[in-house]
Amino acid sequence: MIKIAICDDEANVRAYLSSLIRAQSCPCEIAEYASSGACLAGIHEIDLLFLDIELTHDPLDGMALAGQIRERTSGTRPVIIFVTGYERYVFDAFDVGAFQYLLKPVNEEKFARVFTRAVAQIGTAREKPGPALTLRSAGARKTVPLDSVCYIESSNHKVVLHLKDGEFSCYAKIRDLELELQDRFFRIHKGYLVNLSYVDGYGKTEVTLTNGERLLLSKYKYQDFVKAYLRFLKGGVGL
């Protein structure tokens, strides 16, 4: 089952895209949103997003919305297809990691081809196991998917993995994990190694995670953290 969202301020466009989706031979669930705010509030674990670029009377246009979705979404990120009447946005669309760009009025045959490719990519991402971390605890090996780790905390001679749904501790050095996970995690403090995909915001002295937790940010780490986080948002690395 593919979960699909459509965000467009024109009801007739949303209805038309929904009809095109239902005409494809793919089981799916479709959610429609008329504004960026409604989309951000309602979008959870979406596989595919059809997104208008010019959202009239909306504080966020489609480009800005796509950027926020990329920031907020952990784990596998949704495939984004922009649907717009303006060809001038094509290069900006790919800057935010768009899969494809469709011009209005949408051609049915082209839509079918793009949809098939998008579904194929989603299927490939589901089949491919995500990156994981293997650790030893109480004499046994445990493998933890990286997209389930919010952050890692150093505690005496142990590390505590703070997961989406609990905690896991083992004997390990946070420095060793920092070296192993440097493309996806950042050492914001001597005691914290944070998963960049779970960062919701930051200030001079702390980092706020998507679950609301706040972690200390060392003043000596601040500049390097900002550089690493901005590089992550630009699509250098994705979980």
Side-chain angles (χ1 to χ4, degrees):
M1 178 70 71
I2 303 295
K3 294 184 179 180
I4 301 173
I6 301 169
C7 183
D8 196 296
D9 57 354
E10 298 180 72
N12 62 321
V13 173
R14 297 196 303 272
Y16 179 60
L17 291 175
S18 290
S19 69
L20 291 179
I21 293 169
R22 292 191 176 93
Q24 313 305 312
S25 57
C26 176
C28 61
E29 295 178 2
I30 304 173
E32 297 183 15
Y33 302 101
S35 68
S36 61
C39 186
L40 273 177
I43 190 169
H44 298 290
E45 303 300 328
I46 292 296
D47 299 305
L48 176 59
L49 172 63
F50 289 92
L51 179 58
D52 188 16
I53 292 179
E54 292 202 341
L55 299 169
T56 309
H57 308 304
D58 206 307
L60 293 179
D61 64 13
M63 293 294 178
L65 176 58
Q68 289 208 16
I69 290 171
R70 290 293 188 223
E71 291 179 33
R72 293 188 180 192
T73 308
S74 60
T76 303
R77 299 180 176 187
V79 171
I80 296 178
I81 298 176
F82 280 111
V83 183
T84 183
Y86 301 94
E87 192 169 1
R88 65 178 180 269
Y89 292 119
V90 61
F91 295 110
D92 292 334
F94 293 118
D95 282 344
V96 294
F99 176 77
Q100 186 62 50
Y101 182 103
L102 294 174
L103 284 174
K104 299 176 181 178
V106 177
N107 177 275
E108 293 185 23
E109 292 184 1
K110 183 171 184 180
F111 180 92
R113 292 196 299 271
V114 171
F115 185 85
T116 299
R117 287 174 46 226
V119 170
Q121 177 166 307
I122 292 167
T124 299
R126 286 180 174 180
E127 293 171 3
K128 182 181 178 181
L133 180 64
T134 300
L135 298 165
R136 284 190 173 275
S137 178
R141 293 168 62 89
K142 183 177 178 65
T143 299
V144 181
L146 289 185
D147 63 7
S148 71
V149 182
C150 299
Y151 66 98
I152 300 171
E153 180 182 6
S154 177
S155 178
N156 296 322
H157 298 294
K158 291 185 176 182
V159 293
V160 180
L161 277 65
H162 294 263
L163 311 175
K164 289 191 294 185
D165 55 358
E167 296 181 356
F168 167 72
S169 63
C170 66
Y171 287 100
K173 295 180 179 179
I174 197 169
R175 173 58 180 164
D176 294 340
L177 296 179
E178 178 186 4
L179 293 173
E180 182 177 351
L181 305 174
Q182 59 185 329
D183 289 338
R184 297 177 174 87
F185 287 66
F186 189 87
R187 183 90 171 269
I188 62 170
H189 183 274
K190 65 180 181 180
Y192 299 118
L193 184 60
V194 68
N195 186 336
L196 293 173
S197 68
Y198 283 93
V199 173
D200 190 48
Y202 61 89
K204 287 287 187 179
T205 60
E206 65 181 18
V207 171
T208 303
L209 304 183
T210 54
N211 63 5
E213 287 192 68
R214 296 183 177 185
L215 305 178
L216 288 176
L217 171 59
S218 168
K219 64 180 180 180
Y220 304 109
K221 297 282 189 177
Y222 176 78
Q223 290 187 344
D224 288 338
F225 164 73
V226 172
K227 291 177 184 178
Y229 184 52
L230 293 179
R231 185 167 58 246
F232 175 81
L233 293 183
K234 289 179 181 178
V237 176
L239 288 180

